[in-house]
Amino acid sequence: MHTHTPFTNLAFCIRTFGCQMNKHDSERVAGMLEGLGALPVDAIEDADLVVFMTCCVREAADTRLYGQVASLKNTPLRAGTPLSKRVVAVGGCIGQRDGQKLVDELPHLDVVFGTHNLGSLPRLFEEALDEGGHHVEVLDAGSSFASELPTAREHAWAAWLPIAQGCNNFCSYCIVPYVRGREKSRPLEDIVAEAEGYVAAGVKEITLLGQNVNSYGRDLYGSPRFAAVLDALDATGIERLRFATSHPKDLTDEVIGRFGTLRSLMPALHLPVQSGSDAVLAAMNRRYTRAHYLELVRKLRDVLPEIALSTDIIVGFPGETAKDFEDTYRLVDEVGYHQVFTFIYSKREGTPAASVDDPTPRDVIQGRFDRLVDFVQKRAFEANQADLGSTVDVLVEGASKRDAGLLAGKSPKNQTVHAPLPEGTSIEELAGTTVRVRIDEAKTWYLAGEVAEGSEPPAEAADGR
Ligand code: 5AD
Ligand code: SF4
């Protein structure tokens, strides 16, 4: 099938940390290596080529990466490998941030690449295979969209589509703008062309990606044009459209209105709040207030009452007082999120917040965090209870990890849904199709029910929107 390349019959393994942008980049790396004849394997021990797609947004993932690469030094080569040495690459945000420093600290590392030159990885690997030694290439900026590269998607029916990269917001805790650089939007024609290709190939769900999708287009057109992207994507005929991630300060009425009117736009929004305290929001440089955020929530629910909201919250930002934390807790109560991603503040060198000392003891912060986690789980449970007795469209992903006799998929609100496989069907034939499930069980992490009779892939606007 493939012509012979230096990669023919080599086994590769990719380890991915962090956000959806990284997961998407990993699919591009897999697509390139598979296109050159290398074969994917699940375990690092079985791989000749190892790629780490890294994240530096919090310290834990950072430390873990250095540990994992270090431990590879003593991992035996796979039986039957044609190589005399396993070839190891680090890419993604730590590659971009640390560059040469990585190979200085980890001399058995072979290749380092960054977030702007994914496409160079095969060449860098090839140079390392031919010549040995270190091959480090990190660019400040570049043709930053990997979309001309092939992709090996996890699911044939779901695709991530980057529309912008980088961030101009400089939240005071966040390292992303220093690593990923300034915001750069992709021309609308390119986005639409890629989406049309996916639709023609049978993709059912597209998730638009960017550090801050709402400000899409500001650099290209002088003003944000995210609503136009949503309109254009809807017009491609895609069944389900989602996006991540949004900044509350840039969420316009125009975009909010699309939740009520666009056929394909799913009734779910991830809207990171970070804190419910005005003092902390100001110190974070978020440029909105608690009241503004709650106003956005009210408008969203006016337009689409059943919308499922999710958020990110940082606990223990320097200077956060007991009262600030109570404000966050109350905000979680008021909004009633379907899902909350909670993080303990992690100091990132080079960010403004890193120079602020905080006298709050660690165990106090941990106590706040634990209390918040318990509470968000209780509220998520309650939010899911609202769906008991309803029938929801489920895009089937595969068998449930709990029980191979159950199908698992996602509701429009992005909840995981389980149901017994209907008699006479198989997971293989159902995966990537939409079935209707009557919900009779609602837990914190999932809904469950029975596939409704006569379940067919839904016609347009089957959910009545
Ligand atoms: N410490 C803790 N959490 C952070 N995040 C970003 N930077 C930090 C940090 N320094 C969180 C934010 C963001 C999510 C992706 O990661 O909540 O929304
Ligand atoms: Fe970081 Fe804020 Fe940009 Fe998000 S919006 S990537 S939190 S600086």
Side-chain angles (χ1 to χ4, degrees), residues 104-128:
D104 293 344
E105 288 189 25
L106 300 161
H108 66 293
L109 183 59
D110 306 280
V111 170
V112 177
F113 62 107
T115 54
H116 297 293
N117 61 337
L118 215 59
S120 306
L121 179 61
R123 176 176 49 77
L124 295 167
F125 258 152
E126 212 176 315
E127 288 169 5

Side-chain angles (χ1 to χ4, degrees), residues 167 169-171 173-174 176-177 211 247 274 286:
C167 185
N169 290 324
F170 292 94
C171 301
Y173 51 80
C174 187
V176 167
Q211 261 76 40
H247 196 302
Q274 313 297 359
R286 292 289 289 176

Side-chain angles (χ1 to χ4, degrees), residues 19 56-59 173-176 245 270 272-274 286 311-315 341-348 351:
C19 66
C56 56
V57 96
R58 285 172 297 274
E59 193 178 359
Y173 51 80
C174 187
I175 198 166
V176 167
T245 208
H270 186 65
V273 69
Q274 313 297 359
R286 292 289 289 176
T311 202
D312 294 343
I313 290 177
I314 297 176
V315 176
F341 299 89
T342 43
F343 307 102
I344 290 186
Y345 170 74
S346 170
K347 181 173 174 166
R348 306 281 60 206
T351 62

Side-chain angles (χ1 to χ4, degrees), residues 87 135 137 155 160 194 204 252 301 352 453:
V87 182
H135 299 270
E137 186 182 288
H155 297 305
W160 282 307
E194 189 174 346
K204 304 291 173 55
T252 57
R301 291 205 166 126
E453 286 296 317

